Amino acid sequence: MRTITLINGDGIGPEISDAVVRIIDAAGLKIDWDVQTAGAEVIEAEGTPLPSRVLESIRRNKVALKAPVTTPIGKGFRSVNVQLRKELDLYANLRPCKNLPNVKTVFNDVDLIVVRENTEDLYAGIERQVDDDTAESIKIITRKASERICKFAFDYAVNNNRSEVCVVTKANIMKLSDGLFLDTYRNVSLNYPNIKTREILVDNLCMQLVQKPSQFDVLVLPNLYGDIVSDLCAGLIGGLGVAQGANIGHDCAVFEPVHGSAPDIKGQNKANPTALLLSAIEMLRYIKEFEYADKIEKALFKTLEQNICTSDLGGSADTITFTNAVISNL
Ligand code: NAI
């Protein structure tokens, strides 16, 4: 039996993790879940929101499924999510964005992949208070990190029959940092003569995405733009409740939805487990459990086609009702 780390998170995390574990189990795939807690709830007992046992578990099992973990805004501890990605060197954040059956949105032809650099940029966490009225954040872009994320994006395009990789920067203003990312992209692209290239500034990209998203295929972006643009793309396909993601490194991978812990609906049996379920389906493909991945995906799509969905998608099903419907469609 395969052992996989499960971080069931906080906020809506435990509700949606429960749903996904039930669905995978009902599909007939036996997984030994190595459940690890993290975040605010473990600080008191263990002195840190990300105890080393969590990292050790992922290093040991190589694969983790992760529900969202709350980060205090403006003060308090450093994001568990950012730390996890950094500690495990999960340098590629992959966020596929494709319309789902029966989920009505403005566009019905969205099929793009956001590849976000996951380890540096303004998220390196290098900040200081210069004086009482001034704060400073440092944006780090290195050739090494830019090169491996651009290679990842081009390799993804080659392996998944995609035709174009478009680089997104603000290199007209940040000539050195974004300029380095862009220059590295150009160099990497020379090794992939069959993949089309395209360069766009992030502000123009946002405008184009909300007007004609079908023109984009694979996007590769530095960390901050990637974070913002992937939420925008989530909006194109029905919102955060359906947006999946994965953090991939050389040695391990952590699959998690784009959304956060949604404290506003915590404990109300309202959360949509679809984003975590789609992340889990990609995880199953990553560990080569293709049959189970396809079986669960079919059951999910059938449930949506039956118009059974949670309130974020305009439906009336609660988390448990929706989960039961997916299970009965397996
Ligand atoms: P959020 O994604 O938690 O919520 C934004 C809005 O989307 C809320 O109205 C929420 O109810 C709704 N929503 C999100 N997921 C949903 C789902 N599965 N079903 C139905 N509705 C859903 O973003 P917010 O409020 O900015 O962040 C809350 C906390 O989550 C913060 O502490 C943040 O740091 C953390 N966070 C954690 C992430 C992670 O663990 N990877 C990622 C993003 C945020």
Side-chain angles (χ1 to χ4, degrees):
M1 198 190 310
R2 174 92 196 212
T3 306
I4 292 177
T5 303
L6 175 67
I7 300 172
N8 48 15
D10 52 36
I12 58 169
E15 299 164 61
I16 56 174
S17 308
D18 249 27
V20 170
V21 166
R22 277 186 59 214
I23 293 168
I24 294 177
D25 192 52
L29 180 61
K30 297 292 164 233
I31 288 178
D32 174 20
W33 296 105
D34 180 3
V35 179
Q36 297 287 335
T37 46
E41 60 177 308
V42 306
I43 290 188
E44 205 175 309
E46 299 181 64
T48 163
L50 184 61
S52 55
R53 62 172 165 75
V54 182
L55 297 168
E56 280 155 22
S57 163
I58 302 173
R59 286 197 182 103
R60 195 167 58 238
N61 299 323
K62 311 278 185 232
V63 180
L65 182 64
K66 178 182 162 296
V69 176
T70 305
T71 307
I73 293 177
K75 55 181 168 41
F77 61 83
R78 193 161 167 230
S79 161
V80 167
N81 313 304
V82 173
Q83 266 189 73
L84 195 69
R85 293 167 194 169
K86 197 133 199 248
E87 290 287 334
L88 298 171
D89 204 19
L90 303 170
Y91 66 90
N93 191 316
L94 187 64
R95 293 176 166 182
C97 240
K98 191 174 175 183
N99 290 106
L100 289 163
N102 209 22
V103 176
K104 293 189 185 50
T105 55
V106 179
F107 305 99
N108 55 15
D109 52 3
V110 182
D111 183 7
L112 58 86
I113 309 286
V114 178
V115 177
R116 161 185 168 196
E117 201 290 320
N118 227 358
T119 61
E120 51 181 34
D121 195 351
L122 279 161
Y123 287 28
I126 308 170
E127 287 196 304
R128 71 183 183 110
Q129 197 73 43
V130 178
D131 58 40
D132 280 353
D133 301 314
T134 317
E136 181 180 78
S137 292
I138 297 184
K139 172 167 166 135
I140 305 282
I141 300 281
T142 65
R143 191 177 299 280
K144 181 177 169 235
S146 306
E147 196 170 86
R148 64 181 180 174
I149 197 67
C150 290
K151 274 191 185 149
F152 182 96
F154 278 98
D155 284 338
Y156 184 91
V158 169
N159 295 330
N160 294 276
N161 294 321
R162 298 272 170 173
S163 59
E164 180 186 277
V165 175
C166 172
V167 65
V168 185
T169 64
K170 192 74 187 166
N172 56 334
I173 307 293
M174 275 160 283
K175 294 180 195 295
L176 293 183
S177 53
D178 281 11
L180 177 57
F181 193 87
L182 178 59
D183 183 56
T184 310
Y185 161 88
R186 287 177 181 160
N187 286 333
V188 169
S189 73
L190 300 176
N191 299 320
Y192 300 85
N194 297 328
I195 303 292
K196 279 187 273 171
T197 56
R198 180 170 176 186
E199 299 173 4
I200 194 165
L201 298 177
V202 65
D203 39 357
N204 184 19
L205 171 80
C206 292
M207 195 270 290
Q208 302 278 345
L209 276 171
V210 297
Q211 287 202 318
K212 195 170 180 254
S214 62
Q215 63 180 297
F216 296 105
D217 194 345
V218 177
L219 301 171
V220 63
L221 314 89
N223 206 341
L224 175 65
Y225 309 144
D227 192 6
I228 297 167
V229 166
S230 45
D231 271 33
L232 188 162
C233 291
L236 295 175
I237 56 160
L240 287 168
V242 297
Q244 58 168 308
N247 301 289
I248 298 175
H250 283 300
D251 303 321
C252 29
V254 175
F255 293 79
E256 63 173 344
V258 172
H259 66 73
S261 55
D264 52 334
I265 54 167
K266 169 189 171 182
Q268 296 172 29
N269 192 23
K270 269 191 189 165
N272 187 352
T274 302
L276 185 65
L277 185 59
L278 287 167
S279 310
I281 291 168
E282 278 320 303
M283 179 192 78
L284 296 182
R285 297 200 168 112
Y286 181 84
I287 60 168
K288 305 204 180 332
E289 292 286 2
F290 297 107
E291 246 176 68
Y292 288 104
D294 291 349
K295 181 175 174 183
I296 296 170
E297 189 177 65
K298 263 192 209 143
L300 168 66
F301 288 179
K302 190 168 171 200
T303 309
L304 295 170
E305 274 153 13
Q306 289 166 334
N307 225 1
I308 302 171
C309 58
T310 45
S311 56
D312 56 309
L313 298 180
S316 58
D318 58 33
T319 312
I320 293 174
T321 311
F322 179 76
T323 306
N324 289 342
V326 176
I327 289 173
S328 66
N329 281 328
L330 280 164

